[in-house]
Amino acid sequence: MDTGLYDAIHRRRDVRREFTGEPVDPAALRRVLDAAHAAPSVGMTQPWDFLLVRDAELRQRFQAHVAAEREVFDAGLDAERAAVFSRISVEGVLGSSLGVVVTYDAGRGAPAVLGRHAIADTGLYSTCLAIQNLWLAATAEGWGVGWVSFYREPFLRDLLGIPEDVRPVAWLCVGPVAQLQEVPDLERHGWRSRRPLADAVHADRWGAPAADV
Ligand SMILES: Cc1cc2nc3c(=O)[nH]c(=O)nc-3n(C[C@H](O)[C@H](O)[C@H](O)COP(=O)(O)O)c2cc1C
C-alpha cells in the first residue's frame, strides 16, 4: 500500500487564503505538470492544455471579473446563506504564486474518439482527471491549489486568447502555502459538510445500504 498517496489525498485542500505568494521552484512545477499530463483520457485524446498565468495585469483583470461573479451569486442567496457566504473567500487569484488555466479541446483526436461515441462528457471527465492529478502532485510538493469557477467562459477565453472551440475548465490558483487547513473552508464556515461515506455507497440497487462500509 502506498501510504504517501493516501496521505496526499487526505491532506489536499482547496486553498484560498493560505498562499504565501513565493515564486514556485521550476523543477517542482515541471513535476506537477508532468503528473497532470500523465492522467488517463478517453481514447488517449489528452484533451487538456495548461496555461501558466503570471502576468499581474491579467490576474488583476480576472480577479475583478471573479469579484463581479461573486456578486451575481450573492444576489441569489437568502439572508441566512448570504451571511454565511460573506465569510467565505472564493479565490486566491492574486495571493497565489501563479494561475494555471486548464482547458479542454474536444477536437483533439476527433472524430473517431475511442470511448466517447455514446458519452460526450468523457472528454471533459478526462480533463478533470488531469486537474486532480495536478492537485494531488501539488499537495505532495507542499503547495496548495484553489479551483476558481466564478467566471464566464467567454471572458476567460478573450482574456487569454483561448481559441473559440477550446473550453477553459478551471482557473487553478497554485503555489506554496503557509499551511493546509485540516477541515475544508466550506465546512469550517458552516456552508456545507462532507456527507458520510456510507450514504454514498450502494449495494446492487440504488439506495440499498452496503454492509462493507
Ligand atoms: C469543479 C469545482 C469548482 C470549484 N469552484 C470553486 C470556486 O469557484 N471557488 C472556491 O472557493 N472553491 C471552489 N471549489 C472548491 C470546493 O469548494 C472544495 O473542493 C470543497 O468545498 C471541498 O473542500 P476541499 O477541496 O478543501 O476538500 C471548486 C471545486 C471543484 C471540484
Side-chain angles (χ1 to χ4, degrees), residues 15-21 92 95-97 143-146 173-178:
V15 176
R16 298 121 169 127
R17 291 198 168 109
E18 290 83 6
F19 290 109
T20 64
S96 56
S97 304
W143 295 355
V145 172
C173 305
V174 176
V177 285

Side-chain angles (χ1 to χ4, degrees), residues 12-16 88-91 128 135 146-150 169 183-187 192 194:
R12 184 211 56 79
R13 274 281 75 76
D14 187 88
V15 176
R16 298 121 169 127
I88 298 173
S89 168
V90 297
E91 51 85 15
C128 293
W135 210 333
W147 185 324
V148 184
S149 55
F150 278 66
V169 176
V183 179
D185 277 12
L186 298 199
E187 200 162 339
R192 198 170 160 81
R194 198 173 292 284

Side-chain angles (χ1 to χ4, degrees), residues 32-48:
V32 166
L33 293 171
D34 203 39
H37 193 55
S41 61
V42 67
M44 195 67 185
T45 47
Q46 304 151 78
W48 48 73

